[in-house]
Structure formats: structure tokens, C-alpha cells
Amino acid sequence: MLRVGVNGYGTIGKRVADAVAAQPDMEVAGVAKTTPNFEAEAAHRRGYPVHAAREDRRDAFDDAGVPVAGDLDDLVVESDIVVDCTPAGIGAENRAVYERHDTPALYQGGEDADVADASFNARANYDEVAASDAEHVRVVSCNTTGLSRVLAPLDEQYGVEKARATLVRRGGDPSQPDRGPINDILPDPVTVPSHHGPDVNTVLPDLAVDTMGVTVPATLMHLHSVNVTLETEAEAAAVAETLTDESRVFLVPGDARVAGPAHLKEYAQDAGRPRGDLWENCVWAESIAVEGRDLYFFQAIHQESDVVPENVDAIRAVCTDTEAAESVVETNRALGVGF
Ligand code: NAD
């Protein structure tokens, strides 16, 4: 049984902890948090040993009545691997703690790529990361995960001459009342191309991809407008089949009448998904169009959860000899990925 510590128990950390707990070969060694807020209380209620991420905050946990199992060092010692889910930039500071205990660690996409020895997406480069013996690995961001999951199979099947994507990004997560914009549409970043294309190249180094970002007043999901110039001609139906074969791509059927992310989230909740999570890329089947070698489609990406199965696979890639296909099947089965 792999013992997995989760440092940072917010949007991503709480989902990673639950996903780890659902795996037959893993258990949660504990979680670490800085603040004894409602999420710390929920972690305790779920039975995860709660650690104070900073020694000077330990009294605050006592005052709040959240039992503390130890500090961050204790959690790292208890763990075979730590999944760092702290806010962007903190993971880089934490690497020294993990190294001090010789404990492998995963980092999230908010960190710069150089925080780790390798970046990871299961569909793009599981085998390379597993073979590299890298012990510090960054799971790429929600948007990069969403792009990699479709561009890898398209490149394998048809060859990608050039991919272009406009990422219409949610302003903040539903639990972030301080984010925005409230009433605007922002080129974000205003410089073109955006950093997302180079981030795809951390897991698919040879792929030609340019991206632009726009941030809008929405919280539910990101929406990608994707245009790929293929190396060979393809029928739209064949592309749809290629994407249907991907276990982490959900081809949204036209007759489902899904207008946008609000319907997708409602569907996930109706399906009984935890937190209404959508671990899969949601590609509108009707949007898939090909003109010559130019492919177009829309996909929605649930930023809070698409990286969660990727973190589980990255744990196996770093800590075990499990092969990519086996890990993905196991992760999907344990979580219930796929509609
Ligand atoms: P979050 O703010 O929801 O959660 C971070 C948690 O870490 C909070 O519970 C916070 O209290 C805690 N924390 C803060 N400082 C800490 C410290 N020093 N030690 C331990 N815990 C600390 O953030 P998030 O959205 O879960 O993002 C975490 C990482 O995942 C970031 O790198 C982010 O870029 C990346 N990511 C976020 C999303 C998303 O949409 N939310 C998607 C993909 C990747």
C-alpha cells in the first residue's frame, strides 16, 4: 500500500486526497494545511490525519478544535510520496522539505516547470517519466492537461502540423469569491502567444502549438476553441472516433442538448459525481468539423478536477513499475471516469 501525503488541502488537494483514498493500492497518510478553516474540519471529518503545515499555526488548530496529527515534517516522514497542492509558488519552496527527507513529490501546474525534474500528463508522457526515475514531477495545469489529452492522439493518428487554441478561461473557481472579472472580458495574458503552448511542450516537446487566453466572468469550466492543421486529411467522423477511443475524453452527443458548462455540471451532479466533478475533456461532437486538413472543435475543461486522475497516475509512475495503460485503467475504474 502506497502511503500518500497531501500538502495543501484546497480545490485540488481535497480532490486528490479522495482520489487516492479510492485507489486499491494507495492510502492517505495525512493532509497538511496552514489554516484550520472549514476545509481542515472537513478533512478531519473524512478521517484524514490533519497536519499543521507551519509550526507557528499549530495553536490556531488547537484553538479551532481541529485535532493535529503532527507538522509537515511528520507528514513527509509518514509518506512514500507527497502530492504538493499548495498555491502556485509555494510548491517550489517546499521542495527542500521533501528533499531533506528523501521523499518523492508531485507538484501542480501553478508551479514553473523547473520546480521538478519532469512534467507529466498520463496520455502524453507517462512512460518517459516512469523510465526517467524522476522523483520530483509536476502534473501540468488544467488547461495543459486538456490540450495534451486531445493533441497526443490527434498527432499519433493524423500528425499535427500546427495546433492553435483560444482558451476562454473561468475567472475563478466557484469557491473563490475574491476573483474576477465580474463584468469584463480580458485578453489574459494580453501578450500572444500565451504560456500554455510552451507548457504543452513540457509533455509533448515536438508538437507545434500556439495558444491565446481570454478570461471571462464565469466559474464553472474553461472552454477551448481548438483549430488543428493535420498532416493528413481526415473525415470529421473519423476524428470523432479517434477522440471517442480516449478514456478521458467525453464526446458530448448532439441529442443531449448540452448548451455549455452549466449543463455539463448539472449532468455530472445528476450522475452522482462527487462535487459534480468532470474528470474528462468534454468535446462537443457536433462541433467537430474538418475543412481540408483543418480540424475545428470546442471542448470544455473542468479546471477543478481534470488533473486529479493525472495526479493518481503520476504517483504510480514515480513510485511503482505499473505501466501507463494499467494505471490509467485502474485510476479510471476506482474513480468512475467515463460516462
Ligand atoms: P487553493 O487555494 O484552492 O488551495 C491551496 C491550499 O493550500 C489551501 O487550503 C491553503 O490554505 C493551503 N496552503 C496555503 N499555503 C500553504 C502552505 N504554505 N503549506 C500548506 N498548505 C498551504 O489552490 P488550488 O486551486 O487547489 O491550487 C493548488 C495548485 O494547483 C496550484 O499550483 C494551482 O495553480 C494548481 N491548479 C489549480 C487548478 C484550479 O483550477 N483550481 C487547476 C489545476 C491546477
mmCIF file of all heavy atoms in Angstrom, residues 7-14 32-35 37 39 53-54 72 84-90 93-94 107-111 139-143 170 172-173 175-176 179 222 302-307, ligand 1:
data_model
loop_
_atom_site.group_PDB
_atom_site.id
_atom_site.type_symbol
_atom_site.label_atom_id
_atom_site.label_comp_id
_atom_site.label_asym_id
_atom_site.label_seq_id
_atom_site.Cartn_x
_atom_site.Cartn_y
_atom_site.Cartn_z
ATOM 1 N N ASN A 7 -0.084 17.821 0.735
ATOM 2 C CA ASN A 7 0.239 19.105 1.368
ATOM 3 C C ASN A 7 -0.504 20.211 0.641
ATOM 4 O O ASN A 7 -0.250 20.472 -0.539
ATOM 5 C CB ASN A 7 1.753 19.348 1.314
ATOM 6 C CG ASN A 7 2.155 20.591 2.095
ATOM 7 O OD1 ASN A 7 1.379 21.097 2.922
ATOM 8 N ND2 ASN A 7 3.361 21.076 1.848
ATOM 9 N N GLY A 8 -1.431 20.889 1.340
ATOM 10 C CA GLY A 8 -2.295 21.888 0.704
ATOM 11 C C GLY A 8 -3.624 21.222 0.427
ATOM 12 O O GLY A 8 -3.730 20.346 -0.441
ATOM 13 N N TYR A 9 -4.642 21.589 1.201
ATOM 14 C CA TYR A 9 -5.937 20.892 1.092
ATOM 15 C C TYR A 9 -6.994 21.895 0.656
ATOM 16 O O TYR A 9 -7.868 22.273 1.418
ATOM 17 C CB TYR A 9 -6.256 20.254 2.452
ATOM 18 C CG TYR A 9 -7.415 19.286 2.447
ATOM 19 C CD1 TYR A 9 -7.260 17.975 2.001
ATOM 20 C CD2 TYR A 9 -8.666 19.681 2.888
ATOM 21 C CE1 TYR A 9 -8.316 17.090 2.008
ATOM 22 C CE2 TYR A 9 -9.737 18.791 2.903
ATOM 23 C CZ TYR A 9 -9.553 17.507 2.460
ATOM 24 O OH TYR A 9 -10.597 16.621 2.471
ATOM 25 N N GLY A 10 -6.863 22.362 -0.596
ATOM 26 C CA GLY A 10 -7.867 23.267 -1.151
ATOM 27 C C GLY A 10 -8.570 22.585 -2.309
ATOM 28 O O GLY A 10 -8.835 21.382 -2.267
ATOM 29 N N THR A 11 -8.846 23.351 -3.365
ATOM 30 C CA THR A 11 -9.601 22.827 -4.507
ATOM 31 C C THR A 11 -8.999 21.527 -5.040
ATOM 32 O O THR A 11 -9.699 20.524 -5.223
ATOM 33 C CB THR A 11 -9.634 23.886 -5.628
ATOM 34 O OG1 THR A 11 -10.231 25.075 -5.093
ATOM 35 C CG2 THR A 11 -10.427 23.412 -6.823
ATOM 36 N N ILE A 12 -7.709 21.526 -5.313
ATOM 37 C CA ILE A 12 -7.073 20.344 -5.895
ATOM 38 C C ILE A 12 -6.755 19.313 -4.807
ATOM 39 O O ILE A 12 -7.014 18.121 -4.966
ATOM 40 C CB ILE A 12 -5.781 20.736 -6.662
ATOM 41 C CG1 ILE A 12 -6.102 21.761 -7.768
ATOM 42 C CG2 ILE A 12 -5.093 19.500 -7.236
ATOM 43 C CD1 ILE A 12 -7.036 21.284 -8.850
ATOM 44 N N GLY A 13 -6.210 19.763 -3.685
ATOM 45 C CA GLY A 13 -5.755 18.832 -2.644
ATOM 46 C C GLY A 13 -6.865 17.945 -2.105
ATOM 47 O O GLY A 13 -6.677 16.735 -1.913
ATOM 48 N N LYS A 14 -8.047 18.514 -1.882
ATOM 49 C CA LYS A 14 -9.131 17.699 -1.309
ATOM 50 C C LYS A 14 -9.572 16.638 -2.302
ATOM 51 O O LYS A 14 -9.903 15.518 -1.928
ATOM 52 C CB LYS A 14 -10.297 18.577 -0.855
ATOM 53 C CG LYS A 14 -11.041 19.275 -1.956
ATOM 54 C CD LYS A 14 -12.246 20.057 -1.439
ATOM 55 C CE LYS A 14 -11.862 21.432 -0.956
ATOM 56 N NZ LYS A 14 -13.027 22.316 -0.753
ATOM 57 N N ALA A 32 -1.877 18.248 4.997
ATOM 58 C CA ALA A 32 -1.329 19.392 5.733
ATOM 59 C C ALA A 32 -2.000 20.667 5.258
ATOM 60 O O ALA A 32 -2.252 20.839 4.056
ATOM 61 C CB ALA A 32 0.181 19.487 5.522
ATOM 62 N N LYS A 33 -2.279 21.534 6.201
ATOM 63 C CA LYS A 33 -2.921 22.816 5.905
ATOM 64 C C LYS A 33 -2.321 23.899 6.765
ATOM 65 O O LYS A 33 -1.820 23.621 7.848
ATOM 66 C CB LYS A 33 -4.428 22.704 6.223
ATOM 67 C CG LYS A 33 -5.306 22.524 5.012
ATOM 68 C CD LYS A 33 -6.773 22.721 5.330
ATOM 69 C CE LYS A 33 -7.208 24.172 5.363
ATOM 70 N NZ LYS A 33 -6.963 24.939 4.159
ATOM 71 N N THR A 34 -2.400 25.147 6.278
ATOM 72 C CA THR A 34 -1.916 26.260 7.096
ATOM 73 C C THR A 34 -2.999 26.795 8.017
ATOM 74 O O THR A 34 -2.710 27.273 9.114
ATOM 75 C CB THR A 34 -1.448 27.433 6.197
ATOM 76 O OG1 THR A 34 -2.340 27.553 5.112
ATOM 77 C CG2 THR A 34 -0.030 27.241 5.721
ATOM 78 N N THR A 35 -4.245 26.708 7.547
ATOM 79 C CA THR A 35 -5.336 27.381 8.258
ATOM 80 C C THR A 35 -6.372 26.358 8.721
ATOM 81 O O THR A 35 -6.805 25.521 7.919
ATOM 82 C CB THR A 35 -6.036 28.390 7.310
ATOM 83 O OG1 THR A 35 -5.034 29.087 6.579
ATOM 84 C CG2 THR A 35 -6.882 29.382 8.075
ATOM 85 N N ASN A 37 -9.463 26.073 8.812
ATOM 86 C CA ASN A 37 -10.780 26.563 8.372
ATOM 87 C C ASN A 37 -11.747 25.402 8.143
ATOM 88 O O ASN A 37 -11.493 24.253 8.542
ATOM 89 C CB ASN A 37 -10.627 27.419 7.112
ATOM 90 C CG ASN A 37 -10.162 26.590 5.918
ATOM 91 O OD1 ASN A 37 -9.847 25.411 6.064
ATOM 92 N ND2 ASN A 37 -10.130 27.189 4.753
ATOM 93 N N GLU A 39 -12.336 23.707 5.619
ATOM 94 C CA GLU A 39 -11.788 22.582 4.843
ATOM 95 C C GLU A 39 -10.961 21.659 5.743
ATOM 96 O O GLU A 39 -10.983 20.428 5.577
ATOM 97 C CB GLU A 39 -10.936 23.115 3.683
ATOM 98 C CG GLU A 39 -11.800 23.737 2.582
ATOM 99 C CD GLU A 39 -11.011 24.530 1.562
ATOM 100 O OE1 GLU A 39 -10.101 25.286 1.987
ATOM 101 O OE2 GLU A 39 -11.302 24.428 0.364
ATOM 102 N N ALA A 53 0.725 22.756 8.572
ATOM 103 C CA ALA A 53 1.806 22.921 7.595
ATOM 104 C C ALA A 53 2.892 23.840 8.140
ATOM 105 O O ALA A 53 4.050 23.764 7.726
ATOM 106 C CB ALA A 53 1.252 23.460 6.283
ATOM 107 N N ARG A 54 2.504 24.733 9.061
ATOM 108 C CA ARG A 54 3.515 25.620 9.676
ATOM 109 C C ARG A 54 3.431 25.473 11.184
ATOM 110 O O ARG A 54 2.350 25.534 11.775
ATOM 111 C CB ARG A 54 3.263 27.068 9.258
ATOM 112 C CG ARG A 54 3.700 27.319 7.824
ATOM 113 C CD ARG A 54 3.334 28.698 7.350
ATOM 114 N NE ARG A 54 3.318 29.719 8.379
ATOM 115 C CZ ARG A 54 2.804 30.928 8.212
ATOM 116 N NH1 ARG A 54 2.245 31.248 7.057
ATOM 117 N NH2 ARG A 54 2.828 31.803 9.179
ATOM 118 N N LEU A 72 4.409 19.395 9.193
ATOM 119 C CA LEU A 72 4.675 18.978 7.810
ATOM 120 C C LEU A 72 5.778 17.924 7.755
ATOM 121 O O LEU A 72 5.683 16.950 7.006
ATOM 122 C CB LEU A 72 5.048 20.201 6.958
ATOM 123 C CG LEU A 72 5.387 19.915 5.492
ATOM 124 C CD1 LEU A 72 4.222 19.217 4.780
ATOM 125 C CD2 LEU A 72 5.754 21.204 4.765
ATOM 126 N N ASP A 84 2.040 17.814 -3.539
ATOM 127 C CA ASP A 84 2.006 19.204 -3.102
ATOM 128 C C ASP A 84 0.899 19.931 -3.872
ATOM 129 O O ASP A 84 0.969 20.071 -5.096
ATOM 130 C CB ASP A 84 3.367 19.873 -3.362
ATOM 131 C CG ASP A 84 3.449 21.255 -2.738
ATOM 132 O OD1 ASP A 84 2.661 22.131 -3.161
ATOM 133 O OD2 ASP A 84 4.265 21.464 -1.829
ATOM 134 N N CYS A 85 -0.121 20.358 -3.150
ATOM 135 C CA CYS A 85 -1.263 21.056 -3.771
ATOM 136 C C CYS A 85 -1.411 22.439 -3.152
ATOM 137 O O CYS A 85 -2.527 22.938 -2.976
ATOM 138 C CB CYS A 85 -2.542 20.250 -3.579
ATOM 139 S SG CYS A 85 -2.491 18.608 -4.273
ATOM 140 N N THR A 86 -0.296 23.040 -2.798
ATOM 141 C CA THR A 86 -0.308 24.373 -2.206
ATOM 142 C C THR A 86 -0.456 25.420 -3.322
ATOM 143 O O THR A 86 -0.292 25.100 -4.506
ATOM 144 C CB THR A 86 0.999 24.629 -1.420
ATOM 145 O OG1 THR A 86 2.096 24.489 -2.323
ATOM 146 C CG2 THR A 86 1.150 23.642 -0.280
ATOM 147 N N PRO A 87 -0.773 26.668 -2.969
ATOM 148 C CA PRO A 87 -0.927 27.696 -4.011
ATOM 149 C C PRO A 87 0.352 27.872 -4.832
ATOM 150 O O PRO A 87 1.465 27.587 -4.346
ATOM 151 C CB PRO A 87 -1.243 28.960 -3.203
ATOM 152 C CG PRO A 87 -1.790 28.475 -1.906
ATOM 153 C CD PRO A 87 -1.084 27.186 -1.624
ATOM 154 N N ALA A 88 0.159 28.343 -6.069
ATOM 155 C CA ALA A 88 1.269 28.483 -7.015
ATOM 156 C C ALA A 88 2.467 29.187 -6.372
ATOM 157 O O ALA A 88 2.316 30.232 -5.741
ATOM 158 C CB ALA A 88 0.797 29.254 -8.241
ATOM 159 N N GLY A 89 3.625 28.604 -6.516
ATOM 160 C CA GLY A 89 4.866 29.198 -6.000
ATOM 161 C C GLY A 89 5.304 28.622 -4.674
ATOM 162 O O GLY A 89 6.504 28.593 -4.370
ATOM 163 N N ILE A 90 4.358 28.122 -3.882
ATOM 164 C CA ILE A 90 4.717 27.562 -2.565
ATOM 165 C C ILE A 90 5.365 26.183 -2.737
ATOM 166 O O ILE A 90 6.245 25.789 -1.979
ATOM 167 C CB ILE A 90 3.476 27.438 -1.646
ATOM 168 C CG1 ILE A 90 2.707 28.750 -1.578
ATOM 169 C CG2 ILE A 90 3.867 26.942 -0.278
ATOM 170 C CD1 ILE A 90 3.219 29.754 -0.617
ATOM 171 N N GLU A 93 8.997 26.311 -2.884
ATOM 172 C CA GLU A 93 9.622 26.500 -1.557
ATOM 173 C C GLU A 93 9.641 25.185 -0.779
ATOM 174 O O GLU A 93 10.557 24.922 -0.003
ATOM 175 C CB GLU A 93 8.842 27.548 -0.751
ATOM 176 C CG GLU A 93 8.913 28.944 -1.327
ATOM 177 C CD GLU A 93 7.961 29.909 -0.602
ATOM 178 O OE1 GLU A 93 7.506 29.585 0.509
ATOM 179 O OE2 GLU A 93 7.679 30.976 -1.179
ATOM 180 N N ASN A 94 8.630 24.360 -1.005
ATOM 181 C CA ASN A 94 8.512 23.115 -0.231
ATOM 182 C C ASN A 94 9.456 22.018 -0.702
ATOM 183 O O ASN A 94 9.684 21.047 0.027
ATOM 184 C CB ASN A 94 7.071 22.579 -0.305
ATOM 185 C CG ASN A 94 6.115 23.416 0.513
ATOM 186 O OD1 ASN A 94 6.527 24.114 1.447
ATOM 187 N ND2 ASN A 94 4.837 23.366 0.171
ATOM 188 N N TYR A 107 4.138 18.051 -7.899
ATOM 189 C CA TYR A 107 3.787 19.478 -7.820
ATOM 190 C C TYR A 107 2.679 19.729 -8.839
ATOM 191 O O TYR A 107 2.464 18.935 -9.749
ATOM 192 C CB TYR A 107 5.017 20.334 -8.119
ATOM 193 C CG TYR A 107 6.201 19.986 -7.224
ATOM 194 C CD1 TYR A 107 7.073 18.949 -7.572
ATOM 195 C CD2 TYR A 107 6.409 20.639 -6.015
ATOM 196 C CE1 TYR A 107 8.121 18.591 -6.751
ATOM 197 C CE2 TYR A 107 7.466 20.286 -5.185
ATOM 198 C CZ TYR A 107 8.322 19.256 -5.555
ATOM 199 O OH TYR A 107 9.355 18.886 -4.733
ATOM 200 N N GLN A 108 2.033 20.893 -8.713
ATOM 201 C CA GLN A 108 0.903 21.192 -9.603
ATOM 202 C C GLN A 108 1.295 22.225 -10.662
ATOM 203 O O GLN A 108 2.352 22.841 -10.594
ATOM 204 C CB GLN A 108 -0.305 21.677 -8.787
ATOM 205 C CG GLN A 108 -0.747 20.704 -7.712
ATOM 206 C CD GLN A 108 -1.039 19.309 -8.245
ATOM 207 O OE1 GLN A 108 -1.749 19.145 -9.242
ATOM 208 N NE2 GLN A 108 -0.491 18.282 -7.591
ATOM 209 N N GLY A 109 0.366 22.420 -11.593
ATOM 210 C CA GLY A 109 0.642 23.239 -12.767
ATOM 211 C C GLY A 109 0.852 24.720 -12.507
ATOM 212 O O GLY A 109 1.326 25.435 -13.387
ATOM 213 N N GLY A 110 0.514 25.191 -11.300
ATOM 214 C CA GLY A 110 0.775 26.590 -10.989
ATOM 215 C C GLY A 110 2.253 26.872 -10.769
ATOM 216 O O GLY A 110 2.692 28.029 -10.798
ATOM 217 N N GLU A 111 3.019 25.798 -10.564
ATOM 218 C CA GLU A 111 4.470 25.967 -10.383
ATOM 219 C C GLU A 111 5.148 26.097 -11.753
ATOM 220 O O GLU A 111 4.659 25.552 -12.750
ATOM 221 C CB GLU A 111 5.055 24.731 -9.668
ATOM 222 C CG GLU A 111 4.428 24.402 -8.331
ATOM 223 C CD GLU A 111 4.654 25.482 -7.280
ATOM 224 O OE1 GLU A 111 5.728 26.129 -7.310
ATOM 225 O OE2 GLU A 111 3.764 25.680 -6.441
ATOM 226 N N VAL A 139 2.656 17.800 -12.324
ATOM 227 C CA VAL A 139 1.481 17.478 -13.138
ATOM 228 C C VAL A 139 1.042 18.789 -13.795
ATOM 229 O O VAL A 139 0.788 19.780 -13.096
ATOM 230 C CB VAL A 139 0.352 16.891 -12.265
ATOM 231 C CG1 VAL A 139 -0.910 16.673 -13.081
ATOM 232 C CG2 VAL A 139 0.821 15.570 -11.634
ATOM 233 N N VAL A 140 0.970 18.801 -15.122
ATOM 234 C CA VAL A 140 0.714 20.074 -15.815
ATOM 235 C C VAL A 140 -0.686 20.598 -15.495
ATOM 236 O O VAL A 140 -1.543 19.871 -15.005
ATOM 237 C CB VAL A 140 0.927 19.956 -17.342
ATOM 238 C CG1 VAL A 140 2.402 19.728 -17.653
ATOM 239 C CG2 VAL A 140 0.054 18.868 -17.959
ATOM 240 N N SER A 141 -0.918 21.867 -15.793
ATOM 241 C CA SER A 141 -2.128 22.579 -15.363
ATOM 242 C C SER A 141 -3.392 22.002 -16.007
ATOM 243 O O SER A 141 -3.331 21.176 -16.931
ATOM 244 C CB SER A 141 -2.013 24.054 -15.742
ATOM 245 O OG SER A 141 -2.229 24.196 -17.140
ATOM 246 N N CYS A 142 -4.527 22.493 -15.555
ATOM 247 C CA CYS A 142 -5.819 22.040 -16.093
ATOM 248 C C CYS A 142 -5.920 22.280 -17.590
ATOM 249 O O CYS A 142 -6.314 21.393 -18.363
ATOM 250 C CB CYS A 142 -6.957 22.747 -15.360
ATOM 251 S SG CYS A 142 -6.709 24.524 -15.152
ATOM 252 N N ASN A 143 -5.547 23.472 -18.050
ATOM 253 C CA ASN A 143 -5.635 23.771 -19.481
ATOM 254 C C ASN A 143 -4.649 22.930 -20.285
ATOM 255 O O ASN A 143 -4.980 22.419 -21.360
ATOM 256 C CB ASN A 143 -5.362 25.264 -19.727
ATOM 257 C CG ASN A 143 -6.580 26.115 -19.433
ATOM 258 O OD1 ASN A 143 -7.659 25.861 -19.961
ATOM 259 N ND2 ASN A 143 -6.428 27.133 -18.591
ATOM 260 N N ARG A 170 -12.123 30.480 -17.074
ATOM 261 C CA ARG A 170 -13.003 30.931 -15.987
ATOM 262 C C ARG A 170 -12.238 31.950 -15.129
ATOM 263 O O ARG A 170 -11.017 31.846 -14.947
ATOM 264 C CB ARG A 170 -13.509 29.733 -15.164
ATOM 265 C CG ARG A 170 -12.396 28.858 -14.538
ATOM 266 C CD ARG A 170 -11.954 29.387 -13.208
ATOM 267 N NE ARG A 170 -10.952 28.607 -12.545
ATOM 268 C CZ ARG A 170 -9.662 28.940 -12.437
ATOM 269 N NH1 ARG A 170 -9.200 30.020 -13.043
ATOM 270 N NH2 ARG A 170 -8.845 28.192 -11.735
ATOM 271 N N GLY A 172 -12.464 32.502 -11.857
ATOM 272 C CA GLY A 172 -12.025 31.899 -10.593
ATOM 273 C C GLY A 172 -12.831 30.648 -10.363
ATOM 274 O O GLY A 172 -13.798 30.381 -11.088
ATOM 275 N N ASP A 173 -12.426 29.848 -9.376
ATOM 276 C CA ASP A 173 -13.205 28.658 -9.040
ATOM 277 C C ASP A 173 -14.459 29.093 -8.273
ATOM 278 O O ASP A 173 -14.489 30.180 -7.685
ATOM 279 C CB ASP A 173 -12.364 27.698 -8.187
ATOM 280 C CG ASP A 173 -11.206 27.105 -8.984
ATOM 281 O OD1 ASP A 173 -11.298 27.080 -10.227
ATOM 282 O OD2 ASP A 173 -10.213 26.690 -8.364
ATOM 283 N N SER A 175 -15.418 28.466 -5.456
ATOM 284 C CA SER A 175 -15.156 28.766 -4.041
ATOM 285 C C SER A 175 -14.261 29.990 -3.852
ATOM 286 O O SER A 175 -13.772 30.234 -2.752
ATOM 287 C CB SER A 175 -14.485 27.557 -3.376
ATOM 288 O OG SER A 175 -13.206 27.352 -3.958
ATOM 289 N N GLN A 176 -14.039 30.755 -4.925
ATOM 290 C CA GLN A 176 -13.139 31.918 -4.825
ATOM 291 C C GLN A 176 -13.911 33.223 -5.043
ATOM 292 O O GLN A 176 -13.945 33.753 -6.162
ATOM 293 C CB GLN A 176 -12.010 31.796 -5.851
ATOM 294 C CG GLN A 176 -11.061 30.655 -5.572
ATOM 295 C CD GLN A 176 -9.989 30.533 -6.633
ATOM 296 O OE1 GLN A 176 -10.280 30.497 -7.822
ATOM 297 N NE2 GLN A 176 -8.746 30.466 -6.214
ATOM 298 N N ARG A 179 -12.193 36.498 -6.788
ATOM 299 C CA ARG A 179 -11.608 36.510 -8.129
ATOM 300 C C ARG A 179 -12.537 37.211 -9.117
ATOM 301 O O ARG A 179 -13.708 37.441 -8.856
ATOM 302 C CB ARG A 179 -11.339 35.073 -8.592
ATOM 303 C CG ARG A 179 -10.253 34.369 -7.773
ATOM 304 C CD ARG A 179 -8.866 34.732 -8.255
ATOM 305 N NE ARG A 179 -8.605 34.169 -9.558
ATOM 306 C CZ ARG A 179 -7.882 33.072 -9.774
ATOM 307 N NH1 ARG A 179 -7.343 32.434 -8.764
ATOM 308 N NH2 ARG A 179 -7.701 32.606 -10.991
ATOM 309 N N HIS A 222 -13.446 25.949 -18.032
ATOM 310 C CA HIS A 222 -12.813 26.646 -19.164
ATOM 311 C C HIS A 222 -13.460 26.133 -20.448
ATOM 312 O O HIS A 222 -13.971 25.012 -20.490
ATOM 313 C CB HIS A 222 -11.324 26.301 -19.270
ATOM 314 C CG HIS A 222 -10.489 26.623 -18.076
ATOM 315 N ND1 HIS A 222 -10.354 27.884 -17.550
ATOM 316 C CD2 HIS A 222 -9.697 25.828 -17.308
ATOM 317 C CE1 HIS A 222 -9.509 27.848 -16.519
ATOM 318 N NE2 HIS A 222 -9.110 26.616 -16.350
ATOM 319 N N HIS A 302 -13.054 20.958 -16.977
ATOM 320 C CA HIS A 302 -13.377 21.256 -15.579
ATOM 321 C C HIS A 302 -12.069 21.435 -14.802
ATOM 322 O O HIS A 302 -11.406 20.465 -14.426
ATOM 323 C CB HIS A 302 -14.226 20.136 -14.961
ATOM 324 C CG HIS A 302 -14.693 20.482 -13.592
ATOM 325 N ND1 HIS A 302 -14.756 19.588 -12.562
ATOM 326 C CD2 HIS A 302 -15.087 21.678 -13.070
ATOM 327 C CE1 HIS A 302 -15.189 20.198 -11.477
ATOM 328 N NE2 HIS A 302 -15.394 21.463 -11.762
ATOM 329 N N GLN A 303 -11.753 22.708 -14.580
ATOM 330 C CA GLN A 303 -10.436 23.051 -14.040
ATOM 331 C C GLN A 303 -10.193 22.470 -12.654
ATOM 332 O O GLN A 303 -9.057 22.217 -12.260
ATOM 333 C CB GLN A 303 -10.270 24.574 -14.001
ATOM 334 C CG GLN A 303 -11.030 25.311 -12.897
ATOM 335 C CD GLN A 303 -12.520 25.501 -13.191
ATOM 336 O OE1 GLN A 303 -12.974 25.173 -14.285
ATOM 337 N NE2 GLN A 303 -13.271 26.041 -12.241
ATOM 338 N N GLU A 304 -11.271 22.237 -11.891
ATOM 339 C CA GLU A 304 -11.088 21.756 -10.520
ATOM 340 C C GLU A 304 -10.759 20.265 -10.461
ATOM 341 O O GLU A 304 -10.309 19.787 -9.423
ATOM 342 C CB GLU A 304 -12.369 21.999 -9.703
ATOM 343 C CG GLU A 304 -12.727 23.461 -9.552
ATOM 344 C CD GLU A 304 -14.049 23.624 -8.805
ATOM 345 O OE1 GLU A 304 -15.102 23.379 -9.428
ATOM 346 O OE2 GLU A 304 -14.025 23.962 -7.621
ATOM 347 N N SER A 305 -11.023 19.529 -11.545
ATOM 348 C CA SER A 305 -10.896 18.071 -11.397
ATOM 349 C C SER A 305 -10.161 17.334 -12.508
ATOM 350 O O SER A 305 -9.818 16.170 -12.323
ATOM 351 C CB SER A 305 -12.290 17.444 -11.225
ATOM 352 O OG SER A 305 -13.024 17.529 -12.438
ATOM 353 N N ASP A 306 -9.898 17.960 -13.677
ATOM 354 C CA ASP A 306 -9.307 17.125 -14.751
ATOM 355 C C ASP A 306 -7.903 16.655 -14.396
ATOM 356 O O ASP A 306 -7.455 15.618 -14.866
ATOM 357 C CB ASP A 306 -9.338 17.840 -16.121
ATOM 358 C CG ASP A 306 -8.328 18.966 -16.257
ATOM 359 O OD1 ASP A 306 -8.023 19.633 -15.254
ATOM 360 O OD2 ASP A 306 -7.843 19.206 -17.387
ATOM 361 N N VAL A 307 -7.185 17.394 -13.536
ATOM 362 C CA VAL A 307 -5.820 16.975 -13.178
ATOM 363 C C VAL A 307 -5.800 15.887 -12.097
ATOM 364 O O VAL A 307 -4.750 15.330 -11.803
ATOM 365 C CB VAL A 307 -4.959 18.178 -12.705
ATOM 366 C CG1 VAL A 307 -4.820 19.210 -13.806
ATOM 367 C CG2 VAL A 307 -5.523 18.815 -11.443
HETATM 368 P P1 NAD B 1 -6.366 26.530 -3.269
HETATM 369 O O1 NAD B 1 -6.079 27.913 -2.873
HETATM 370 O O2 NAD B 1 -7.780 26.105 -3.512
HETATM 371 O O3 NAD B 1 -5.774 25.516 -2.209
HETATM 372 C C1 NAD B 1 -4.490 25.651 -1.675
HETATM 373 C C2 NAD B 1 -4.497 25.133 -0.248
HETATM 374 O O4 NAD B 1 -3.187 25.206 0.283
HETATM 375 C C3 NAD B 1 -5.403 25.927 0.687
HETATM 376 O O5 NAD B 1 -6.090 25.021 1.504
HETATM 377 C C4 NAD B 1 -4.421 26.774 1.506
HETATM 378 O O6 NAD B 1 -4.924 27.036 2.795
HETATM 379 C C5 NAD B 1 -3.240 25.825 1.567
HETATM 380 N N1 NAD B 1 -1.955 26.471 1.812
HETATM 381 C C6 NAD B 1 -1.578 27.749 1.600
HETATM 382 N N2 NAD B 1 -0.278 27.917 1.917
HETATM 383 C C7 NAD B 1 0.171 26.705 2.320
HETATM 384 C C8 NAD B 1 1.412 26.219 2.777
HETATM 385 N N3 NAD B 1 2.478 27.022 2.890
HETATM 386 N N4 NAD B 1 1.509 24.912 3.109
HETATM 387 C C9 NAD B 1 0.437 24.077 3.016
HETATM 388 N N5 NAD B 1 -0.767 24.494 2.590
HETATM 389 C C10 NAD B 1 -0.901 25.793 2.239
HETATM 390 O O7 NAD B 1 -5.481 26.252 -4.570
HETATM 391 P P2 NAD B 1 -5.765 25.210 -5.726
HETATM 392 O O8 NAD B 1 -6.715 25.820 -6.689
HETATM 393 O O9 NAD B 1 -6.078 23.894 -5.148
HETATM 394 O O10 NAD B 1 -4.358 25.197 -6.457
HETATM 395 C C11 NAD B 1 -3.278 24.422 -5.982
HETATM 396 C C12 NAD B 1 -2.304 24.206 -7.130
HETATM 397 O O11 NAD B 1 -2.993 23.516 -8.185
HETATM 398 C C13 NAD B 1 -1.759 25.494 -7.768
HETATM 399 O O12 NAD B 1 -0.465 25.225 -8.265
HETATM 400 C C14 NAD B 1 -2.699 25.709 -8.933
HETATM 401 O O13 NAD B 1 -2.149 26.501 -9.952
HETATM 402 C C15 NAD B 1 -2.910 24.277 -9.392
HETATM 403 N N6 NAD B 1 -4.138 24.054 -10.143
HETATM 404 C C16 NAD B 1 -5.305 24.667 -9.790
HETATM 405 C C17 NAD B 1 -6.431 24.444 -10.549
HETATM 406 C C18 NAD B 1 -7.722 25.125 -10.248
HETATM 407 O O14 NAD B 1 -8.477 25.409 -11.149
HETATM 408 N N7 NAD B 1 -8.061 25.397 -9.022
HETATM 409 C C19 NAD B 1 -6.384 23.581 -11.648
HETATM 410 C C20 NAD B 1 -5.198 22.911 -11.944
HETATM 411 C C21 NAD B 1 -4.064 23.168 -11.189
#
